[in-house]
């Protein structure tokens, strides 16, 4: 297992287009998280899955955002009708249940630029 | 509360020690973390400390925790050019991590 993988690494899109990002967590991790990081800031929590169940969504996640984890393995994050304010690094992380105390494992992120 | 605050920039000469400071508000956390982010990359867990400890040493890294003042610090001994990065402290709230804005460490020759 090579860790948490995210695809694509970079995405440039025109305002109003839809984009989808993929995250493949560490295979034995049943918790998966999405965070957003804007320039000069720390990551901010977006949403969290335990297996296939989405258990919490931040108020940062507007109606234009949707995340899925259909089989409890990989996850997708879709942004509809992108806006320039959506430009950010989108980070995925995973952890085993009950071991948040040892921290998550983060992927390298997908950098989104909306032009 | 989940606010985490850090100083934003630190410039240090190669071979000197770096000290990065952080204050947090959630005192119920069992652990506190330090993450490192290199340019264009994700976050790498650097070290963590149990909340019942005052100090943890891990090779060149020393973490100090003052629970009374809710103050966390990371000391990097013999700072190298490869230590140039952004360092985040993180305070867990159940399954969520709250991050500071990050301290950008620049190592000069």
């Amino acid at each position: 297992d090579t860790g948490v993988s995210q695809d694509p690494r970079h995405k440039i899109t025109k305002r109003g287009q839809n984009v989808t990002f993929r995250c493949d967590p560490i295979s034995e991790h049943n918790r998966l998280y999405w965070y957003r990081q804007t320039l000069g800031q720390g990551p901010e929590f977006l949403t969290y899955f335990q297996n296939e169940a989405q258990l919490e969504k931040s108020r940062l996640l507007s109606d234009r955002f949707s995340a899925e984890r259909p089989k409890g393995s990989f996850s997708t994050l879709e942004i509809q009708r992108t806006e320039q304010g959506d430009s950010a690094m989108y980070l995925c992380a995973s952890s085993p249940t009950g071991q948040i105390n040892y921290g998550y494992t983060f992927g390298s992120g997908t950098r989104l630029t909306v032009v | 509360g989940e606010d985490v605050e850090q100083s934003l920039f630190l410039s240090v000469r190669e071979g000197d020690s770096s000290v990065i400071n952080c204050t947090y508000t959630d005192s119920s956390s069992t652990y506190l973390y330090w993450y490192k982010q290199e340019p264009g990359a994700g976050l790498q867990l650097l070290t963590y400390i149990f909340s019942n400890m005052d100090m943890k040493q891990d090779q060149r890294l020393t973490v100090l925790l003052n629970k009374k003042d809710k103050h966390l610090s990371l000391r990097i001994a013999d700072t190298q050019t490869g230590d140039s990065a952004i360092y985040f402290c993180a305070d867990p709230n159940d399954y969520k991590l709250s991050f500071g804005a990050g301290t950008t460490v620049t190592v000069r020759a």
Side-chain angles (χ1 to χ4, degrees), chain B residues 6-60:
Chain B
Q6 299 179 237
S7 50
L8 294 182
F9 300 99
L10 176 67
S11 178
V12 61
R13 192 186 305 272
E14 189 174 8
D16 288 351
S17 293
S18 308
V19 179
I20 306 166
N21 296 300
C22 170
T23 58
Y24 60 96
T25 57
D26 186 352
S27 59
S28 65
S29 306
T30 306
Y31 301 75
L32 291 155
Y33 306 100
W34 284 103
Y35 280 84
K36 176 183 180 182
Q37 186 176 37
E38 297 184 10
L43 277 71
Q44 170 197 353
L45 179 64
L46 210 52
T47 188
Y48 62 91
I49 187 168
F50 291 83
S51 60
N52 62 358
M53 296 172 65
D54 297 324
M55 184 181 83
K56 177 182 178 182
Q57 188 149 2
D58 183 1
Q59 298 180 344
R60 292 191 298 120

Side-chain angles (χ1 to χ4, degrees), chain A residues 16-89:
Chain A
Q17 297 294 305
N18 299 345
V19 293
T20 300
F21 311 140
R22 177 180 169 120
C23 171
D24 287 90
I26 292 174
S27 56
E28 58 267 28
H29 287 183
N30 51 9
R31 289 187 173 184
L32 186 147
Y33 315 83
W34 285 98
Y35 280 72
R36 181 174 70 185
Q37 184 180 20
T38 53
L39 202 60
Q41 298 298 318
E44 296 174 292
F45 172 81
L46 291 180
T47 190
Y48 141 71
F49 290 84
Q50 171 104 5
N51 299 313
E52 66 274 11
Q54 187 174 18
L55 297 186
E56 184 173 343
K57 294 194 294 185
S58 160
R59 65 182 185 280
L60 294 175
L61 218 63
S62 75
D63 291 345
R64 297 184 297 105
F65 287 71
S66 62
E68 295 182 344
R69 194 182 183 198
K71 297 182 180 178
S73 56
F74 73 91
S75 175
T76 58
L77 178 67
E78 181 184 15
I79 310 174
Q80 296 182 326
R81 304 180 304 282
T82 51
E83 302 173 356
Q84 287 187 322
D86 297 331
S87 295
M89 173 82 91

